[in-house]
Amino acid sequence: MKKLFGLCLSFLLVTAMFSGCGASPSSNNPATGSGKQQSEENTETTLSNETEGSENMGSNSTAKNLVVYFSMPETTEPENMSREEELSTVVIDGEVLGNTQYVAYIIAENTGADIFRIEPVTPYPLEHSELENIAQKEQADNFRPEIAGTVENIEQYDTIFFGFPNWYYDMPMIMYSFLDQYDLAGKTVVPFVTSGGSGFSNAISTIKDMEPDADVVADGLSISRNVVQDSEYDIIEWLTKKGFI
């Protein structure tokens, strides 16, 4: 775990607002794959101009990799979690991270990537049933939540790691908002997902349809929420096998 503590400490030194992410709404349960409202103790630096609620890592003029992710834990408190809260979070050294957030950090640390956390202008609630209702309604309405913050100079990046929890056999609708907003033509898009067992469902096909001129990796990285806390080695092994490190 020494490497893991180093990872977390390095990220926790560059704090932004909100803590969110996770894999709550994964398989059948939308509150078990992503997270909720952003906690105000996020752990990344800012990548270009973004709003206070957005947690991102500093842009590097020579950087070619970018991790873009959405994730929100259903709590910011490491003690006395409900079952739903446990399923959406990873706790490292007393710090609550969302499942997808944790995976995003490991990818960024090992690929030297900048990082951009997708956050809604209107924060999601932390309460499980409320989050479920909102997630289902957004999906039914094909709604595009507005994103807080922007990625500036996205053209500088060759590879975009694109991560999210599985919510009701699909990406959270805010991921659609991102793909609508940014043209990823000519870039390699590497999907990664946290879920309760559904994996990507049809998300990779959707990404290909929305970004037809991007090279979308068909066999992206899928991590079960049940093992995410112990997944660091597997993530690094996958990145190495795919030639990203």
Side-chain angles (χ1 to χ4, degrees):
M1 292 289 288
K2 291 182 180 177
K3 179 177 179 62
L4 186 53
F5 284 128
L7 167 85
C8 293
L9 287 173
S10 65
F11 276 115
L12 293 175
L13 286 174
V14 281
T15 329
M17 304 266 310
F18 267 177
S19 106
C21 116
S24 189
S26 119
S27 248
N28 312 332
N29 193 329
T32 67
S34 163
K36 310 193 138 223
Q37 165 197 45
Q38 294 112 0
S39 77
E40 292 185 307
E41 318 173 55
N42 270 50
T43 56
E44 291 163 52
T45 47
T46 48
L47 170 119
S48 74
N49 296 335
E50 39 181 52
T51 64
E52 266 188 326
S54 168
E55 159 206 331
N56 302 302
M57 245 180 122
S59 176
N60 181 327
S61 60
T62 62
K64 295 299 181 184
N65 299 330
L66 174 66
V67 176
V68 172
Y69 78 94
F70 168 79
S71 172
M72 302 174 7
E74 298 193 20
T75 182
T76 62
E77 300 297 327
E79 305 294 337
N80 302 315
M81 290 187 186
S82 68
R83 178 61 174 162
E84 289 82 7
E85 290 168 347
E86 288 179 349
L87 289 172
S88 71
T89 58
V90 172
V91 179
I92 302 295
D93 198 24
E95 180 75 11
V96 178
L97 304 176
N99 291 343
T100 310
Q101 183 180 27
Y102 174 76
V103 176
Y105 284 0
I106 292 175
I107 292 173
E109 174 73 7
N110 286 278
T111 61
D114 287 345
I115 194 164
F116 179 83
R117 181 177 180 180
I118 298 174
E119 296 180 290
V121 168
T122 302
Y124 289 111
L126 287 174
E127 204 281 321
H128 183 79
S129 61
E130 288 183 41
L131 178 62
E132 281 190 323
N133 291 338
I134 290 173
Q136 287 179 312
K137 182 167 174 42
E138 285 183 351
Q139 191 178 84
D141 296 344
N142 197 26
F143 181 69
R144 303 292 199 265
E146 184 180 357
I147 297 172
T150 58
V151 179
E152 293 189 352
N153 302 317
I154 197 168
E155 61 276 3
Q156 72 181 298
Y157 298 105
D158 297 326
T159 300
I160 308 288
F161 294 92
F162 191 68
F164 49 91
N166 184 317
W167 280 11
Y168 291 112
Y169 305 103
D170 200 353
M171 298 184 290
M173 296 308 297
I174 200 165
M175 305 306 289
Y176 285 77
S177 301
F178 185 91
L179 294 175
D180 283 344
Q181 185 172 342
Y182 294 95
D183 181 4
L184 305 183
K187 302 183 185 302
T188 298
V189 178
V190 187
F192 63 98
V193 69
T194 57
S195 77
S198 300
F200 285 103
S201 297
N202 294 319
I204 291 180
S205 295
T206 300
I207 296 168
K208 288 181 176 181
D209 289 342
M210 295 185 71
E211 297 288 347
D213 297 319
D215 179 13
V216 180
V217 174
D219 53 340
L221 175 65
S222 178
I223 302 290
S224 168
R225 70 188 181 200
N226 298 318
V227 300
V228 67
Q229 183 143 352
D230 300 313
S231 63
E232 181 183 17
Y233 175 82
D234 291 334
I235 295 168
I236 294 172
E237 184 178 49
W238 186 88
L239 290 168
T240 301
K241 180 180 177 181
K242 302 300 271 184
F244 295 117
I245 58 177

